[in-house]
Amino acid sequence: MIDSASTISSAGDILLVLALTLPFIGMIIAFVVGGRRAQTIATLSFLLGFILSAQIAWQLIESGQSLNYLLGGWAPPLGIKLHLDGFSAVMLLATSVILFAVAIFARADFETPIDVKEARAPLMFWTLLLAVWGALNLIFLASDLFTLYVALELVTFAGVPLVCLDGKAATLKAALRYLLFALLGSVLYLLGAVLLYGAYGTLDIALLAQAVQPEAITYAAAALMTVGLLAKTALFPLHLWLPPAHAGAPAGASAVLSALVVKGSFFLLLRLWLDVMPELVTLSAAQFLAGLGATAIIVGNIVALRQARLKLLIAYSTVAQIGYLFLMFPLFFGLSALNLPTETATTGGMLQVISHATAKTAMFMAAGLIYSTLGHDRIADLRGVGRQLPLTMLAFALAGASLIGLPPTGGFLAKWLLLTSALNTGQWWWAAVMLVGGLLTSCYVFMVLVRAMQIVETPVTPKLAVPRYREAVVLALATFAFLLGLAAFLPIDLIQIGRPSTLLLGQP
């Protein structure tokens, strides 16, 4: 749970306020100056955001405990507290890195033409990108359930328009389906929050963690909020909105939606289960949630194998990879029940979040470059593209290795930690699911690579020349995902700083 007694509002914690306000300041400036300059404003904002996130992470390491800031000096439950622990710090860092890479990549797609005074798509893309960033930072830093609800809504209303920027009927339909699922999730989450407030008189996570009791109203609230968040995260069988939405959006938008937007609601679910009511969650409930995750891994991968379009394949791969995240819950509570350290489960889960985010961003951007070159993304007709876009296909291979879980990738380290937790708790069936999932993932990754590397008699004539800098961005992000597994050799586990002593969970 979030420690209410941790350090409150030191001078340096004003950095948390800056991390929260910088995206919205950038968004307002970008909207005022117009689409032609908005891309520069957004790119600079993401760069500043990365520097700021790195400084916040360094301060967290130096202090060795969570950072907090009381807005206006008012303490909860009357005031709002910003809270940062290891979970939040790594998400702030990963988000700023991914958005900076997307901003460089998307300049060619969302540049205002010279002969046009103002264009709708560039202005909307850059301002929405900044809005998504601000809303995600609010999710990572907020510590009360109502502020988190507001942040969820901001993510939805900034994310949905990104799906239909081209204004085509198919993408509008996909955006509406996404909006319906997201609103359903919001209503369920809000109903649960209202029940908790009515029962305990507060929505502050730290205060709720001390007050919640194992009674019917608490379980009802937890169930409503969990289902709502599952709909937003697109966990099987509530994933129906994700493939058309992510596959139909522009490459840069698809990358952000798949890498970051679905992780926002998952992050909130982590707060709810691990910080608000860790002592109320039963192992059977966690097993049920992981069962849905395991089904997502198997079904998502099999459906991905049957896709004819590359972007749809990657979108269904996201459905499968989301499933791995939910294996964290029974492993966490299984370790806790045995009074064993739970760090292997939580660090493994958070590494899966970050490795999937970076790898999937690289994959969607690679798919966008392939589409620009060939004029389509039909997998059956990818022959020869490997010779035309060697760096892009290398990036696709490195990102695919991370999704499969090959060493030394971030995906390998994440799955190794989860697999170790499964064996230590005697839950071998989750280890079997991970191994089968890795095998299925390798099938569609190799299928795409083999098809793209086939030699053709007539070289591919590109529909549009791809600048090398765009390939370099994709390759840099894929390389990051590939080498993320080397984090195991770092002297400090940033993810666990500011987290409670997990050995105490479940004890009176």
Side-chain angles (χ1 to χ4, degrees), residues 92-116:
L92 285 178
L93 265 174
T95 301
S96 59
V97 168
I98 289 170
L99 286 173
F100 182 59
V102 169
I104 297 174
F105 174 86
R107 288 178 71 87
D109 293 332
F110 293 99
E111 190 174 25
T112 304
I114 296 174
D115 56 343
V116 175

Side-chain angles (χ1 to χ4, degrees), residues 204-267:
D204 180 78
I205 289 177
L207 297 177
L208 265 179
Q210 299 168 8
V212 290
Q213 298 296 322
E215 51 189 347
I217 194 168
T218 307
Y219 290 122
L224 287 169
M225 297 171 82
T226 298
V227 174
L229 293 171
L230 295 187
K232 285 177 173 286
T233 309
L235 179 66
F236 180 92
L238 301 172
H239 67 287
L240 299 178
W241 62 267
L242 186 147
H246 289 194
S254 298
V256 172
L257 292 168
S258 184
L260 299 175
V261 169
V262 294
K263 304 301 187 331
S265 47
F266 176 76
F267 187 87

Side-chain angles (χ1 to χ4, degrees), residues 373-387:
T373 302
L374 300 179
H376 65 81
D377 64 345
R378 295 188 298 275
I379 297 170
D381 297 326
L382 292 182
R383 295 181 185 87
V385 76
R387 179 169 292 184

